[in-house]
Amino acid sequence: MTTTTCSTVLDQPLLRPVELGDLQLPNRVVMAPMTRARATGAGLVPNGMHTDYYGQRAGAGLIVTEGTWVSERAIGFPNVPGVWSEEQISGWRRVTDVVHALGGRIVLQLWHTGAASHPDHLGGALPAGPSAVDPRERTYTPNGPKATVTPREMTITDIRETVAEYGTAAVNARRAGFDGVEVHALGSFLIPQFLNPRLNLRRDAYGGDPAGRRRLLMEIVDAAAAAWDGRRVGVRLSPYWTAERFTADERTLADYDALVAELGDHPVAYLHLRGPAPAAPGAAPDHDAFARYRRLFGGPLIANHGFDRETGNAVIGAGLADAVSYATHFVANPDLVARFALDRELAAGDPGTYYTGGAGGYVDYPASRWGDAVRR
């Protein structure tokens, strides 16, 4: 009788279980949030493609969904789903039911673009930001890419209503069956705009100094946490982000030092940290960037940006992260965890289909099969 066996490497750190706050994960391979622009129907409602897409990737230790609008005035990209209407909640419920039936865990990322939006997204109204300063970004509208405009400055009432919208979105996420939420606080969008002294020129309680500039984030975290029992709210940050109005200078990093330390005083399940871009294509991510914030935050940390299987295992093995998130690897490898476990080659995705709105390049990537190439 002939016995056929397959090679496994099940002792790797990425495959060990871990707790992130009150989220219990069977492995440490996290699916990072990725905007894929597939909510093409009326009302920005998640559809059957979303159910298939996330269900195919339920082997992840944790799925973090694409950024999802907390309200209609948060919108800043075409065909991205929301979580403010009953139809959207029902659509997301179908997603979470399938993911849970397949043994997965999933949290909803809450997003607001702030001044990085455009009147084309908002029925002609100006977007709102911390101050009347153009972030000088490119925004993708239903009418093509356009430059951002000078926003109107948010009033205190606007800010309070926005915090309340995040709280309602977290309640809706729980109603939709999610295991928690993640606050989108990276890139050039609303929360980083408030953190940025070049864009936030306010002299009230939400500006003036680093403590004032980070107040909005802390209030949003607390509002989102109120919907949950225990710690089920993550926060995603990008201190190393660079753009027209954003720079990762020492002043910025020092402000993020204080922010990360203060997050430890709030009911945060985990910190999801986007590190700097690798020094060159294929280079390993910078461990020092993660070590800097690991020292300041006592809770679990998810590392992100430029990791593969080896470097993911290395950053966890070094004690600098509790889990690692992957974006583009999950696009073309719905069974990414199995490929890591079986030492299989990874497929490459097609960037030309990232935002095209159809099933192609979204739900048609196959899982690996017996006999596929094994890495050596």
Side-chain angles (χ1 to χ4, degrees):
M1 182 176 68
T2 300
T3 301
T4 303
T5 60
C6 61
S7 172
T8 63
V9 279
L10 298 179
D11 58 341
Q12 56 186 296
L14 280 167
L15 300 184
R16 298 170 188 162
V18 67
E19 292 184 4
L20 305 183
D22 287 292
L23 299 167
Q24 297 182 359
L25 280 53
N27 63 68
R28 302 171 188 235
V29 182
V30 174
M31 179 175 163
M34 293 175 281
T35 299
R36 302 300 309 277
R38 259 61 181 193
T40 55
L44 301 180
V45 176
N47 54 47
M49 283 193 297
H50 293 85
T51 304
D52 285 358
Y53 174 72
Y54 289 113
Q56 290 169 357
R57 291 155 179 81
L62 179 68
I63 293 172
V64 184
T65 72
E66 61 212 281
T68 302
W69 308 128
V70 298
S71 72
E72 291 178 282
R73 58 185 181 176
I75 296 171
F77 198 95
N79 301 327
V80 170
V83 71
W84 69 83
S85 74
E86 291 301 316
E87 293 79 12
Q88 291 164 347
I89 294 168
S90 295
W92 281 122
R93 185 80 208 201
R94 288 188 287 273
V95 171
T96 61
D97 283 349
V98 168
V99 169
H100 290 150
L102 295 171
R105 291 144 183 83
I106 183 168
V107 298
L108 184 71
Q109 194 187 63
L110 307 179
W111 190 16
H112 193 308
T113 49
S117 185
H118 190 276
D120 286 3
H121 290 295
L122 305 171
L126 280 177
S131 300
V133 180
D134 185 349
R136 297 179 184 170
E137 296 284 328
R138 295 286 286 176
T139 180
Y140 292 88
T141 79
N143 303 308
K146 295 187 177 183
T148 54
V149 300
T150 300
R152 65 178 183 84
E153 180 175 306
M154 293 176 74
T155 66
I156 293 294
T157 297
D158 289 331
I159 291 172
R160 289 172 179 165
E161 290 176 349
T162 298
V163 172
E165 286 169 351
Y166 275 89
T168 299
V171 170
N172 290 345
R174 185 167 183 174
R175 291 176 57 207
F178 285 96
D179 298 298
V181 295
E182 180 177 285
V183 175
H184 184 307
L186 84 165
S188 304
F189 303 109
L190 178 69
I191 295 171
Q193 291 160 19
F194 268 83
L195 297 173
N196 187 335
R198 300 168 190 84
L199 295 174
N200 184 347
L201 308 181
R202 306 177 72 96
R203 290 294 179 264
D204 59 14
Y206 294 92
D209 59 22
R213 290 194 293 271
R214 61 180 180 262
R215 178 176 176 178
L216 175 66
L217 173 57
M218 301 305 166
E219 291 186 357
I220 285 172
V221 168
D222 290 345
W228 305 93
D229 301 319
R231 291 178 179 262
R232 292 181 176 269
V233 177
V235 177
R236 191 168 192 218
L237 297 176
S238 57
Y240 300 97
W241 189 268
T242 56
E244 175 72 19
R245 298 279 198 178
F246 291 81
T247 181
D249 56 18
E250 276 306 313
R251 175 187 178 186
T252 297
L253 297 181
D255 286 352
Y256 273 89
D257 288 348
L259 184 159
V260 169
E262 186 176 338
L263 280 175
D265 298 327
H266 294 259
V268 174
Y270 62 82
L271 173 63
H272 190 176
L273 187 65
R274 185 185 190 273
D286 181 2
H287 277 200
D288 290 343
F290 297 96
R292 175 172 188 148
Y293 295 104
R294 180 68 153 181
R295 290 190 291 268
L296 295 166
F297 183 69
L301 188 147
I302 302 174
N304 170 262
H305 203 187
F307 287 92
D308 58 16
R309 193 189 70 162
E310 287 75 16
T311 55
N313 280 316
V315 75
I316 294 172
L320 300 178
D322 299 283
V324 177
S325 71
Y326 298 87
T328 54
H329 285 326
F330 261 114
V331 170
N333 300 277
D335 59 336
L336 183 63
V337 178
R339 291 184 191 235
F340 282 173
L342 297 170
D343 202 18
R344 298 260 173 94
E345 290 281 0
L346 300 185
D350 175 13
T353 61
Y354 282 178
Y355 313 109
T356 51
Y362 189 59
V363 294
D364 58 349
Y365 287 106
S368 62
R369 298 171 298 174
W370 178 259
D372 283 354
V374 176
R375 298 178 339 104
R376 291 294 183 230

